[in-house]
Amino acid sequence: MAPEFNHPGMDAAWDYGLFDAILNRKSRRFAFGAEIPGGPTKYKSEKPPMPLDEAEEAMLVQLGTGLTGMNLSPGDLPWLDERDRSTSGNTMLQFQSRTYASPCGCHGTELFYWNDEGTYIVKMKDCLAGSVNEFETADDRKKALDFFHMNRVKIADGRVDIPRQYPFFLTFNLWDSNIAGSTMFQPVLNATWQTINSLLLVCGWADGGAVIMDDFKGGDTIAGCERWIGEGLLNPGYRIGFMGLGAGASEVEPGFVAQNLQLGLQAMGLGGWVHASAAPPAVMGAYAAGGIKGLGFRYESDNAGRSFPVGIDGIFEGYCPPYFKNMDAAVDAVVETKFGKDGLYSKDSGTPLPVLDKNEFIAAVPRYSDKLVQCVKDICNYIYDTYGRFPMPNDPMIAPGYWVQAHHLDLDFYDRFMKAGAYSDTHANHMRLWHSDVPAEVAEKELASTAV
């Protein structure tokens, strides 16, 4: 049975102060059931592993990646300049607001998580907000559980199982990372979605778009868009290489998600930390043939024989082959999300917007020219035909090399080895507030430790 949003742990976490969460945030690694095998803090937990319950996981998912309402860019972003030319505001891909910031409202990062029972993806990209702010009153808080149950998809039984050895794990994480009882959170970025949108942006500037250069060919190699310089669409004075497209997106979005999760751990009184994940290829599924299934991403090979993840069939797919016939179709799909029949900027679509007069706003949004769309297709086809992959040099799907672990904190370890202040009242009171059905001796140990 799904948990009710009616117990003191949830209320206490929701009302916890932002400054307290930021200033008390620390990595707290020692979990129920954990063991440090040697050294000056050698210790074995006397408590068995204790998984997070569904309410705890739902709260963390909401904080990490949840829907919060509509973003305000339709109203507080200029769409035309003083000469009535496009300012490229139509780069906005979505008007849903999530808990993490995203370039152009892409929100291309989705959150995977797993525990002892199963592995899941939380699919939030196509969710629509019903109001500008989804969480205005205490009664709205139950939406965190609703969103969790409506949008998570189970993709496998059990936790992602990766050999507990170097080089899959860093040696100082072997003892505790991805252990029984923990819940692991892995953000993964769909770079194809963002890259196509970035090309529509930088090639569509009113004073002439940027010429896209192939950094990897050297010299002055133009990436398939020579024609559009001659036709005046692109300005030869503006040049951007592959390395400059979506620079930093592979780290920024997942990093925001990870920080949200860690602040949530503090507010809820849970242990855990952001740390180097197991080797990303193993996490994604590059070694499935060797029995290391990871998250089960599909891998393809490029023209140089290098393998790369493109998506999970039917679950989380890149805007590139094999999920699209070719890059023309992938570009068309991105444009369709904006200007198609049910697109973001279509008058009769059901997409809610935060502006008072939706139709007046939509009528003023500049459309992409046929020349711009074809230019972007030419660039995307150049990349795919030249390298056998899209985008370049990033993988279509990116696990950033870190993940977040959440677990119940064994306070006995900190009482024995650490000075006062190693944990806060939220940790001391967690068992009493969140798990009143846990044996009394466990809760009593936690409450007694507040005197440390």
Side-chain angles (χ1 to χ4, degrees), residues 67 69-71 73-74 79 92-97 105 124-132 134 193 334-362 365:
L67 185 70
M70 304 174 198
N71 71 46
S73 48
W79 295 82
M92 292 299 298
L93 263 172
Q94 296 180 328
F95 291 138
Q96 290 84 268
S97 182
M124 298 295 297
K125 172 175 163 290
D126 296 322
C127 292
L128 296 179
S131 59
V132 175
E134 290 285 344
W193 170 247
V334 175
V335 174
E336 184 79 6
T337 65
K338 299 183 181 188
F339 299 111
K341 179 181 177 182
D342 296 315
L344 185 65
Y345 303 111
S346 298
K347 183 176 65 173
D348 296 326
S349 76
T351 304
L353 301 181
V355 292
L356 293 175
D357 193 327
K358 173 181 174 180
N359 288 341
E360 180 183 27
F361 164 75
I362 286 175
V365 174

Side-chain angles (χ1 to χ4, degrees), residues 245-307:
L245 288 174
S250 62
E251 296 297 326
V252 170
E253 279 195 7
F256 286 144
V257 173
Q259 176 72 348
N260 288 346
L261 288 166
Q262 195 165 36
L263 295 178
L265 298 181
Q266 172 61 35
M268 296 168 66
L270 290 166
W273 81 115
V274 181
H275 60 287
S277 68
V283 174
M284 297 287 274
Y287 310 130
I292 305 172
K293 295 181 179 180
L295 288 169
F297 275 77
R298 177 174 178 165
Y299 272 72
E300 300 286 327
S301 294
D302 65 17
N303 292 347
R306 294 172 297 218
S307 62

